[in-house]
C-alpha cells in the first residue's frame, strides 16, 4: 500500500503527512541533488495542524534515480508545468498496474500524462484543501476542504477503482470519487482563470479582488468566458460559476494565490495551464476570449509568464 509522492511543495507535504498519520509509510521523492544535500540521515516531515499543534514524522526519502521497488501508487504534486517531466523521470520504475494520481492546478498536463501512460490507471484530483510551505519539509495546513478524484483518459476497470478507494480510505481527508472529474477540473479552472492572474497583476490578496467595482467586473468577465468555452466543450455547468469565484475570494480572502506568489518570486507560473489552456480550447472552437487574452498580455508585459 506504499504511495510514492513526487513534488515536495505544500500539497505534496500535506498529503505525505496524511499518509504518515495513517501509518502507510509513504516515500517522498526528491531531486537527486536535493536528496544528497540533506544533512540529516533521519529526516522528518513537520506539519502545523489547524488546531495549532505541530507534529513531526520520520520520513522516508528517495530520488527517482535511487528508488528501487516498482512503484504501484504515485501521487504527483508538482506544479502543472513540471508534472509531465516529473512522471517521465520515474517512468521506468512504474509497474504496469501503477495508479497515477495527478494533483495539478489548471488543465492540459493531466490529459498529456493520461495520453502517454496507457497501461497504467491515471486519475486526476481537484482539491480545496489549503496549505502553504513554511520551510523545506514543513507544511502548514491552512484550511479544511474536500478532494474529488476521478479517472482521466481511459476508463479504469472496477478493480482499479476498488484498489484506489481502498488505498485512500484511511486518510483523514474528505475524499469523493467521481466519474465526472472533468466537471470538477473545469470548476477549478474557472476559479483559477478568474483569480490567479488578476491577483498576480494587482499583486494583491484574493479577497482584495472584490474590493473595487473594476476588479469585480474583470473577475466576472473572465468567468463568463470560461462558462462559454466550457459549454461549447460539452461540460455540464452546475450552479453559477461567478458565485463560486466570489465565494473562493471570500473564503481565501487573506491568502495570496499561488500565481501571485510565483510572480513575486520570479518563478514561472502555471498560467499556461490555466488561462493559456482556456485560450487554446477557445481557439479550437472558434470562440473569442478577449478578457483572457488581454490579461495574459498585461501579465507578459510585467514579465509574468
Ligand atoms: O492557486 C491558488 O492559489 C488556489 O487554487 C486558489 C483557489 C486560487 C486560492 O488561492
Amino acid at each position: 500500500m506504499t504511495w510514492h509522492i513526487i513534488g515536495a511543495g505544500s500539497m505534496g507535504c500535506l498529503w505525505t503527512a496524511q499518509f504518515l498519520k495513517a501509518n502507510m509509510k509513504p516515500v517522498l521523492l526528491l531531486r537527486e541533488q536535493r536528496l544528497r544535500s540533506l544533512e540529516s540521515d533521519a529526516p522528518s516531515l513537520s506539519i502545523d495542524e489547524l488546531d495549532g499543534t505541530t507534529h513531526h514524522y520520520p520520513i522516508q526519502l528517495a530520488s527517482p534515480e535511487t528508488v528501487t521497488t516498482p512503484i504501484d501508487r504515485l501521487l504527483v504534486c508538482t506544479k502543472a508545468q513540471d508534472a509531465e517531466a516529473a512522471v517521465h523521470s520515474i517512468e521506468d520504475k512504474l509497474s504496469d498496474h501503477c495508479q497515477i494520481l495527478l494533483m495539478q492546478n489548471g488543465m492540459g498536463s493531466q490529459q498529456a500524462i493520461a495520453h502517454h501512460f496507457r497501461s497504467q490507471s491515471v486519475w486526476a484530483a481537484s482539491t480545496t484543501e489549503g496549505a502553504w510551505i513554511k520551510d523545506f519539509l514543513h507544511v502548514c495546513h491552512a484550511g479544511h476542504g474536500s478532494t474529488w478524484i476521478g479517472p482521466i483518459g481511459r476508463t479504469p476497470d472496477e478493480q482499479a477503482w476498488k484498489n484506489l478507494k481502498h488505498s485512500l480510505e484511511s486518510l483523514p481527508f474528505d475524499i469523493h470519487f467521481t466519474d465526472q472529474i472533468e466537471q470538477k477540473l473545469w470548476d477549478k479552472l474557472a476559479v483559477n482563470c478568474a483569480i490567479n492572474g488578476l491577483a498576480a497583476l494587482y499583486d494583491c490578496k484574493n479577497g482584495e479582488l472584490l474590493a473595487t467595482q473594476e476588479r469585480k467586473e474583470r473577475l466576472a468577465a473572465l468567468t463568463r468566458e470560461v462558462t462559454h468555452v466550457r459549454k461549447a466543450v460539452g461540460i455540464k455547468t452546475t450552479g453559477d460559476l461567478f458565485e463560486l469565484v466570489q465565494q473562493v475570494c471570500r473564503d481565501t480572502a487573506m491568502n495570496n494565490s499561488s500565481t501571485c506568489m510565483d510572480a513575486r518570486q520570479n518563478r514561472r507560473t502555471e498560467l499556461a495551464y490555466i488561462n493559456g489552456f482556456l485560450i487554446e480550447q477557445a481557439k479550437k472552437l472558434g470562440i473569442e476570449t478577449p478578457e483572457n487574452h488581454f490579461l495574459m498580455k498585461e501579465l507578459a508585459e510585467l514579465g509574468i509568464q
Side-chain angles (χ1 to χ4, degrees):
M1 199 76 100
T2 301
W3 277 89
H4 287 74
I5 297 101
I6 194 155
S10 54
M11 280 303 142
C13 288
L14 181 69
W15 279 73
T16 303
Q18 311 314 307
F19 289 123
L20 288 162
K21 277 184 217 170
N23 220 356
M24 289 169 67
K25 301 187 172 45
V27 180
L28 183 59
L29 300 170
L30 303 177
R31 285 201 194 94
E32 180 66 20
Q33 213 182 355
R34 184 59 146 153
L35 191 65
R36 281 207 209 137
S37 71
L38 289 182
E39 275 153 25
S40 168
D41 44 15
S44 66
L45 177 74
S46 304
I47 177 164
D48 292 356
E49 302 285 4
L50 288 162
D51 64 6
T53 56
T54 300
H55 294 113
H56 309 277
Y57 298 94
I59 170 80
Q60 192 183 335
L61 302 172
S63 72
E65 289 81 1
T66 58
V67 69
T68 47
T69 46
I71 295 176
D72 290 330
R73 291 174 191 84
L74 179 71
L75 174 62
V76 185
C77 294
T78 63
K79 293 268 182 194
Q81 63 270 26
D82 300 325
E84 275 187 77
V87 186
H88 284 292
S89 75
I90 198 118
E91 185 167 359
D92 58 340
K93 306 284 172 67
L94 303 181
S95 69
D96 273 352
H97 53 270
C98 180
Q99 310 259 16
I100 304 175
L101 176 53
L102 305 169
M103 194 164 286
Q104 276 63 52
N105 261 341
M107 282 171 83
S109 64
Q110 302 94 330
Q111 288 77 0
I113 292 169
H115 184 75
H116 184 85
F117 292 87
R118 285 170 187 264
S119 67
Q120 286 88 359
S121 310
V122 183
W123 309 80
S126 178
T127 189
T128 57
E129 290 291 342
W132 53 279
I133 277 287
K134 216 170 175 177
D135 207 345
F136 178 58
L137 299 184
H138 189 163
V139 64
C140 181
H141 193 186
H144 264 312
S146 300
T147 302
W148 286 266
I149 296 174
I152 192 113
R154 190 177 59 86
T155 310
D157 58 30
E158 225 174 281
Q159 196 54 44
W161 274 97
K162 264 197 195 152
N163 289 346
L164 186 77
K165 283 184 183 172
H166 180 54
S167 69
L168 296 173
E169 69 192 0
S170 42
L171 294 191
F173 265 172
D174 179 38
I175 299 177
H176 306 265
F177 293 90
T178 173
D179 54 8
Q180 304 289 322
I181 194 64
E182 293 231 345
Q183 257 183 43
K184 288 287 168 193
L185 295 177
W186 272 91
D187 286 351
K188 188 80 191 295
L189 188 79
V191 166
N192 292 135
C193 271
I195 297 178
N196 289 42
L198 273 190
L201 182 72
Y202 296 124
D203 192 23
C204 72
K205 293 197 189 301
N206 295 346
E208 289 166 344
L209 292 175
L210 299 175
T212 70
Q213 197 52 32
E214 185 211 337
R215 290 181 184 184
K216 263 172 93 168
E217 274 166 21
R218 292 196 72 176
L219 280 177
L222 289 162
T223 312
R224 266 197 305 277
E225 290 184 358
V226 183
T227 308
H228 189 182
V229 178
R230 170 189 176 127
K231 234 188 200 161
V233 171
I235 308 289
K236 220 168 78 200
T237 300
T238 46
D240 180 348
L241 284 180
F242 186 47
E243 194 34 62
L244 174 68
V245 167
Q246 292 180 91
Q247 192 55 49
V248 173
C249 286
R250 290 191 284 268
D251 291 346
T252 62
M254 298 310 289
N255 298 1
N256 284 110
S257 78
S258 52
T259 306
C260 182
M261 293 305 290
D262 285 341
R264 278 187 191 169
Q265 286 157 24
N266 277 323
R267 288 194 301 242
R268 194 164 189 88
T269 73
E270 294 178 303
L271 287 169
Y273 294 84
I274 299 175
N275 308 78
F277 175 82
L278 184 87
I279 290 169
E280 213 178 280
Q281 296 300 305
K283 209 166 144 193
K284 283 186 199 156
L285 295 158
I287 298 173
E288 301 277 314
T289 49
E291 287 294 331
N292 278 274
H293 267 289
F294 184 58
L295 176 62
M296 290 292 267
K297 185 171 160 283
E298 283 177 294
L299 290 164
E301 279 165 10
L302 293 176
I304 301 170
Q305 277 170 337

